[in-house]
Amino acid sequence: MPLKEVESEVLKYHAYVKWRGNVQSEVTIRHFNLVVDTKTDGNDEGPNPTEVLLAAIGGCMIVNYGRLSRKMNLKIESIEIDIDAERPKMKAKVTKIKYKIRIRSNESYEKLERLKELVERNGTVFNTIKEGTEIVGNLEVVK
């Protein structure tokens, strides 16, 4: 949910990030706090920035699964997403993101595949990242 909405229908978001020393930061988003750190040269007191990025992609997709499944009158029992990223050691860029969506539902595979397509098409974070990184997703339906 965006922090601010303006009349021009532009959604605005905001995060405040404060350095806590070494490689650690504290993130404040609305009234939520999150520590970002690394396990390689930090204290491992929170996820690293790339893991936060993956969580943002997954969270974005779950929001849209919830919204769109209601609009499509689909009965969904559960949704789980596993997301992995690949980054070459000598390149400061994630080059590939793979995810697997596991949906427990008695709906047809075709309806759930259509839902997946709509989720991907309407995801703010998903589409922002997709422009510069390959994202590959697979759907698993559990009856």
Side-chain angles (χ1 to χ4, degrees):
M1 187 65 78
L3 178 62
K4 302 173 188 172
E5 293 185 35
V6 292
E7 288 182 10
S8 67
E9 296 187 21
V10 172
L11 303 177
K12 294 190 177 188
Y13 305 87
H14 176 79
Y16 173 77
V17 183
K18 182 179 179 180
W19 180 51
R20 292 177 59 177
N22 193 15
V23 297
Q24 193 175 92
S25 60
E26 182 175 350
V27 180
T28 303
I29 302 168
R30 293 182 284 136
H31 59 276
F32 303 101
N33 293 314
L34 170 70
V35 172
V36 176
D37 201 358
T38 68
K39 63 181 178 182
T40 53
D41 54 350
N43 297 320
D44 199 20
E45 294 180 6
N48 70 43
T50 305
E51 293 164 333
V52 173
L53 175 67
L54 296 180
I57 294 168
C60 175
M61 292 175 77
I62 291 287
V63 164
N64 282 318
Y65 268 102
R67 287 179 180 159
L68 293 168
S69 63
R70 272 195 316 269
K71 282 185 178 180
M72 295 171 70
N73 293 315
L74 299 177
K75 304 236 182 322
I76 308 270
E77 205 174 304
S78 67
I79 304 169
E80 299 171 9
I81 304 175
D82 281 315
I83 307 175
D84 296 292
E86 296 177 5
R87 176 190 158 216
K89 283 190 175 190
M90 302 308 289
K91 188 172 186 177
K93 180 184 187 311
V94 169
T95 55
K96 188 172 189 177
I97 297 171
K98 295 187 289 188
Y99 63 92
K100 183 175 188 175
I101 302 164
R102 195 172 301 104
I103 299 178
R104 185 172 299 278
S105 175
N106 287 322
E107 300 289 350
S108 72
Y109 185 88
E110 291 75 19
K111 286 182 182 178
L112 296 172
E113 180 65 29
R114 176 68 178 143
L115 175 61
K116 176 183 172 286
E117 291 169 7
L118 291 171
V119 163
E120 290 176 351
R121 183 180 312 147
N122 291 288
T124 301
V125 176
F126 186 93
N127 286 311
T128 300
I129 302 305
K130 179 176 85 170
E131 293 301 316
T133 303
E134 178 184 10
I135 303 178
V136 179
N138 293 304
L139 172 65
E140 176 185 346
V141 178
V142 180
K143 300 285 182 182

